Amino acid sequence: MNRMIDVRSVWFWLSVAALVIMFVFIVYPIINIVTSSFSNGGGWSQILSEQRYGEAIANSLMLAAIVTVACTLVGVPLAYVTARFRFPGKSLIVFLPLITLVIPEVIAAQTWLMMLGNNGLITRFFREYGIILPSFYGWFGLVTSMTFIYYTYVYIGTVAAISGFDAHLEEAAQSLGSSPARARLKVMVPVIAPAILSGALLVFTMVIGNFAISIILGHQVQLLSVMTYRAAVSEGGVNPVMQSTLASVSILIVMVVLFINRWIVARGRYEVVQGRGAPPSALRGLEGVLIALAAGTVVLISMLPMISVILGAFTRARGPVMQWGTWTLENMERVFVTAPQPLVNSLVYAGLATCIGISFSTVVSYMIVKKRNLITPLLDYISVVPLALSGTVLGIGLIISFHTGWLPLTGTASIIVLAYVVRRLPFGMRNASSTLYNVPNSIEEASISLGSPPFRTFVRVVLPMMAPAIAAAAVLTWTTSVAELSASILVYSGGRETLPIQIFRLLDSALMAYASACGLTLIGVILLPIMIAIKVFRMDLFGVGKPRSES
Amino acid sequence: MSISISGLAVSYGQADVIADLDLRIDEGNFFTLLGPSGCGKTTLLRTIAGFVPAARGRILFGDVDVTRLPAHKRDIGMVFQDYALFPDKTVFENVAYGLRARGERGAVLEGRVMKALERVDLGPFRSRKPAALSGGQRQRVALARALVIEPQVLLMDEPLSNLDARLRLQVRETIMELQREARITTVFVTHDQEESLSMSDRIGVMNKGRIEQIGSPKEIYATPATTFVADFVGAANRIPVTLGQGADATRPTVRFGDVVLRARCAGPVPNGEGVLVLRPEDLGMDDSPTTDGAASSLPGSVILRQYLGARTAYKVRLGDGSVLAVDLHGEDHDRFSAGQHVSVSVNPEKALVLAR
Ligand SMILES: Nc1ncnc2c1ncn2[C@@H]1O[C@H](COP(=O)(O)OP(=O)(O)OP(=O)(O)O)[C@@H](O)[C@H]1O
Ligand SMILES: [Mg+2]
């Protein structure tokens, strides 16, 4: 009997169904993007001949490189300091990952403008003293805001690597005659380098795919993601040549980076030394104060969006003019009472996406890990494909695949939910399968031997064991779906605005106060489940999966 | 419930892991599958359980053919090497699990579970989670869980191998008591020969997917059918010998070195080329080489002496350079020292000839 193609097994047909679904909603859109880029004469010759395309690609690569370096320069020292030292105010820094996770990029971009834009709070403050700050639009704003959002990805990975780094190695090097500083460099750098590089490459791909900040702060700087979005908006789904070509370029770039990442991780595996990390030592005196100050500044800058969104939400505004210092509840009232549709839409779509995404990834991971057959490796491969798609690219893929034809989804809510589900699928899958690998086969066999049929075993034994991981994945899927902007802005239709879309549109018309109210509500919607998960259910949210907050 | 297996073959792909295996286990028997790592013990056990499909052959529980019956309908109890307790359920819920699957509810369920738990001295632990138990306690929960459903067949895959030596003895006794009490047909997998000898009614010694010999512990130990069994169960000196043309096929004359003796023979030995199997504890030792007529005595010198309390284990090098292991018990078993010239005596009654 061939277990790999057992046509009598329910699991076999389930895996066939999963393959069909993943093919239609993940592979088929990509195929469409690539084929469209060659149709009707193709966009490739234009990209090669017209200067602005080359310029945009070069700008995007340059921006990604600069931000990546900046994030490493901020993230690694901060990680080292928090992993190895105790100093006043350290507990604040522990919340860092939370901060970037909960602040959607569109809000971050908005609040940076509220502070440092042409009419920003800080800009005006300095102007009163005759100091003219450089314009925040363009390279300065892009690099600053992206750095203070993305450095966390370098920081989180590096903290983990340094904490797991065996302090005895350092001592051993010292005992062999190296000075402490040299010993540290010599032994620690090669060990934590893979973690840093992985984080840095993640930042690189996120900058390439970044939509919200790029379009809001980019202004004169032509960027690939913005140009792709504009092409998609102007072409629509009918003759999508340019958008597909640009999307293909971004897929290519991300694939190259992912490939490098994989190569580094594979090499790094041999270098990871598991051991007890050094306990943090206390920092006192001037050094302690300086380090605490530096770390505090980083935290404060990360917190800036949070603070200004709160201020903005309760500040009275007449049109685009903020009347700083006068307070009102009007803005919040509009979000909840006068025009609650975006809020309701966000809750419904993200809720649906969370339920569908988590159920799907649970069942599919179960098949991949426990019910292997000829098809399951394919499911495994396809499930990571969305990692190579930025939100804009995915949005384009969905539009050109489903705007007419055999499955017309555009204009319905389902295409928004679909975009959410596909974007978060890799994270849900990774979460579910890493727990499943920890469920020994004998547990299931024990249940079956006690008379429970396989399906009942799955429900009664496997699911409860997966429950904590599923719940954590659900919270993370929820938070990232609620904040999603770049794919949904392409696929949504009138009346189906979500909160991030609403904020984006308000920013366009410079209605900062109303936008802040939407932003504060959005942060609340994101924060609430996280708080409940951490406080009530004591979940370790940041240990599982990799949180991503780009919108 | 007896178990009958005929013509069974199992494969994980191309090559058969088990080929053409026949086995019968009587009702209420404690049957041990003994064999080296990778010989297919787990595979055979899991095939009996229904987790691995049989490529060919039949498996019967009593008169019922279960070859195609899914595992959950076979009414088996199973105990795993890694315990396989449900980590999110309490001890009570773990044991109650099989009964619930059989529709048992309420006071009857509670009563049966508590009785099973008390039987393994775990009554007070009923509301603990498995993580809060010691290894021995976990294995006892696993036992209670498998036995509380009163299965037709109890299957155990190296249930003791994760326990330390003292616990292993304790749980071993618990298993034996419970099995004798319930008279459940039991298949027990181990690669520990002492475990198999002490616990079993019958032992099947496996090698490379085949059963080499089935018999009582005594038969397996005293009259191994093959050199593999002789080697695997207990220590054995193996000496290649040529058989003389004796009149009695069951008592052939063997000759090695200066020694000629009439050994026992379990089966026909082709070509007259055999192996003489001598258990270390069946050999004797004297100070001085006795040459007068005692043809079954071999001169040599002690090259290694290990004092083990109840006995002393010696290694003796014979004149032709071969080395014999000799275990001495009784008074003054440690009286020889390394380097000493000795003579090793062979008791013909205990000397067994096997095919090479
Ligand atoms: N799932 C599997 N797929 C392929 N081959 C397998 C699988 N499980 C076991 N085998 C092979 O089948 C043979 C028998 O394995 P089995 O687990 O039955 O041995 P065992 O006697 O239980 O060994 P041990 O004492 O080490 O547990 C081995 O050669 C093993 O490599
Ligand atoms: Mg085994």
Side-chain angles (χ1 to χ4, degrees), chain A residues 231-415:
Chain A
V233 171
S234 69
E235 285 177 342
V238 182
N239 186 17
V241 179
M242 247 9 259
Q243 52 178 308
S244 302
T245 316
L246 292 169
S248 304
V249 171
S250 108
I251 294 177
L252 264 176
I253 295 176
V254 176
M255 267 176 27
V256 168
V257 175
L258 286 180
F259 187 77
I260 296 175
N261 189 13
R262 191 157 263 227
W263 182 70
I264 290 172
V265 169
R267 271 178 23 130
R269 193 178 303 148
Y270 305 102
E271 294 171 9
V272 170
V273 185
Q274 280 299 330
R276 272 182 308 132
S281 54
L283 266 184
R284 291 199 195 81
L286 188 63
E287 208 184 357
V289 172
L290 285 181
I291 286 184
L293 224 57
T297 311
V298 171
V299 177
L300 192 72
I301 297 178
S302 316
M303 287 294 290
L304 215 56
M306 195 75 158
I307 297 165
S308 49
V309 85
I310 295 174
L311 292 181
F314 297 104
T315 293
R316 192 182 296 278
R318 193 175 306 126
V321 183
M322 302 287 291
Q323 298 175 336
W324 295 110
T326 50
W327 306 104
T328 178
L329 282 175
E330 259 171 32
N331 305 317
M332 295 306 282
E333 196 186 318
R334 281 177 84 175
V335 176
F336 282 93
V337 184
T338 324
Q341 198 56 42
L343 173 60
V344 174
N345 286 344
S346 273
L347 297 181
V348 172
Y349 303 159
L352 278 173
T354 304
C355 294
I356 296 172
I358 292 302
S359 325
F360 188 79
S361 46
T362 303
V363 172
V364 173
S365 319
Y366 181 72
M367 291 191 286
I368 290 174
V369 178
K370 298 288 184 189
K371 300 285 168 194
R372 271 170 233 173
N373 61 34
L374 222 56
I375 290 170
T376 52
L378 277 177
L379 300 179
D380 203 6
Y381 292 134
I382 300 178
S383 72
V384 296
V385 168
L387 284 179
L389 309 180
S390 68
T392 311
V393 172
L394 176 68
I396 290 173
L398 294 181
I399 288 183
I400 59 184
S401 304
F402 305 113
H403 85 111
T404 49
W406 58 279
L407 189 60
L409 294 178
T410 42
T412 68
S414 53
I415 196 163

Side-chain angles (χ1 to χ4, degrees), chain B residues 39-157:
Chain B
C39 69
K41 308 179 293 290
T42 299
T43 303
L44 177 55
L45 193 80
R46 287 163 46 81
T47 313
I48 297 175
F51 294 125
V52 178
R56 292 183 299 280
R58 299 204 313 155
I59 301 173
L60 273 64
F61 285 1
D63 303 327
V64 185
D65 188 336
V66 298
T67 320
R68 299 269 167 262
L69 201 65
H72 66 275
K73 292 187 182 153
R74 291 199 185 184
D75 197 14
I76 49 173
M78 199 148 176
V79 180
F80 297 83
Q81 185 172 356
D82 60 358
Y83 322 126
L85 298 179
F86 308 131
D88 55 312
K89 297 184 168 52
T90 60
V91 166
F92 182 93
E93 280 307 320
N94 263 280
V95 177
Y97 187 88
L99 293 175
R100 288 198 200 281
R102 284 164 171 71
E104 201 81 82
R105 294 285 181 275
V108 185
L109 174 95
E110 166 113 17
R112 286 181 67 180
V113 172
M114 285 320 289
K115 213 177 121 201
L117 280 180
E118 267 145 31
R119 193 62 201 75
V120 292
D121 297 325
L122 285 175
F125 295 84
R126 58 174 290 174
S127 19
R128 287 223 197 154
K129 293 273 176 71
L133 298 178
S134 72
Q137 289 166 338
R138 283 180 211 179
Q139 198 51 292
R140 270 148 51 206
V141 176
L143 261 177
R145 184 179 69 177
L147 285 170
V148 74
I149 58 174
E150 294 173 6
Q152 298 186 21
V153 171
L154 180 63
L155 306 173
M156 294 191 259
D157 192 357

Side-chain angles (χ1 to χ4, degrees), chain A residues 36 38-43 238-241:
Chain A
S36 300
F38 290 105
S39 67
N40 286 341
V238 182
N239 186 17
V241 179

Side-chain angles (χ1 to χ4, degrees), chain A residues 391 420 423-424 480-489 498 500 550-551:
Chain A
Y420 289 175
R423 285 203 77 184
R424 300 305 152 197
T480 46
S481 294
V482 159
E484 213 283 337
L485 173 68
S486 50
S488 42
I489 190 100
T498 60
E550 96 250 50
S551 39

